[in-house]
Amino acid sequence: IPLVLNYTGSGIFVSTVTGDDIKAGALRDDAVDVVVFPGGGGGGEADALGVEGRRNVVDFVNAGGGYVGICAGAYLAIMHLGLSSFADEPRPRPGHDRGDGNCTLAVTAAGAAAGLPSLRADLDVFYANGPVMEVRNASDASARALATFTSASVPIERNYTGPFAGGGAIAVAVNDAGAGRVLVSGPHPETDPMDMPDTGGPPSAPGSPRALLLQSYVHAVAGGSRLR
């Protein structure tokens, strides 16, 4: 993620921090506009932050900072920080992963207005058990779907159809939180699509639709809700 965000022309400068850095107050630096949490494990990220680190992230967002969570980073916002107005939809087999695979997305009108790039209908984006979302807080007027899943195999539950096929569910979403803004993404635009079952693809190339999508996430929340 840092590599793709730092590509020339992105307008983004990335500094990597750890959970211990955030506990120690790294997000109180006035130079920090947005914090990005990557994939991995939402519970593991929450544990690494600890109570103090989680409080510092929430305080950062409420004070006007931007938050981007991808896959596990999205689960962190949804399940552990209480920053997202969206929830992970019920799974056909509760407690089981949705699995890994490539998906296709459609950017909504709200997504285009937020600066997300248009995507080809056949553009594959890697997905690895990230949230497949629905609105949890219907009273939040700031809650908007920025992109939806279009592929029938998403959420990569290949043995299911109907309501569990994934098409039309929310893939990327945004909402305000305090004076800040929170964006959560189920898919991984930072990497090329995978040649399944190999899940070790290269990073998205400079100027590619996937790289531009990832970069647009940061720009969509920079400045928080105060500037929107």
Side-chain angles (χ1 to χ4, degrees), residues 70-165:
I70 298 172
C71 197
Y75 284 123
L76 178 66
I78 292 168
M79 300 174 64
H80 302 281
L81 299 179
L83 288 172
S84 179
S85 293
F86 295 83
D88 188 33
E89 288 191 346
R91 304 182 182 200
R93 299 175 64 199
H96 288 259
D97 289 351
R98 289 190 166 99
D100 302 340
N102 297 314
C103 67
T104 53
L105 306 172
V107 174
T108 65
L116 272 63
S118 60
L119 303 175
R120 298 193 322 269
D122 62 348
L123 181 75
D124 281 334
V125 181
F126 182 52
Y127 169 93
N129 195 42
V132 174
M133 294 173 280
E134 60 188 2
V135 178
R136 172 173 54 192
N137 183 3
S139 65
D140 183 357
S142 76
R144 299 186 299 280
L146 303 184
T148 57
F149 292 108
T150 58
S151 46
S153 63
V154 175
I156 320 303
E157 291 150 340
R158 297 181 181 85
N159 297 323
Y160 299 94
T161 57
F164 296 123

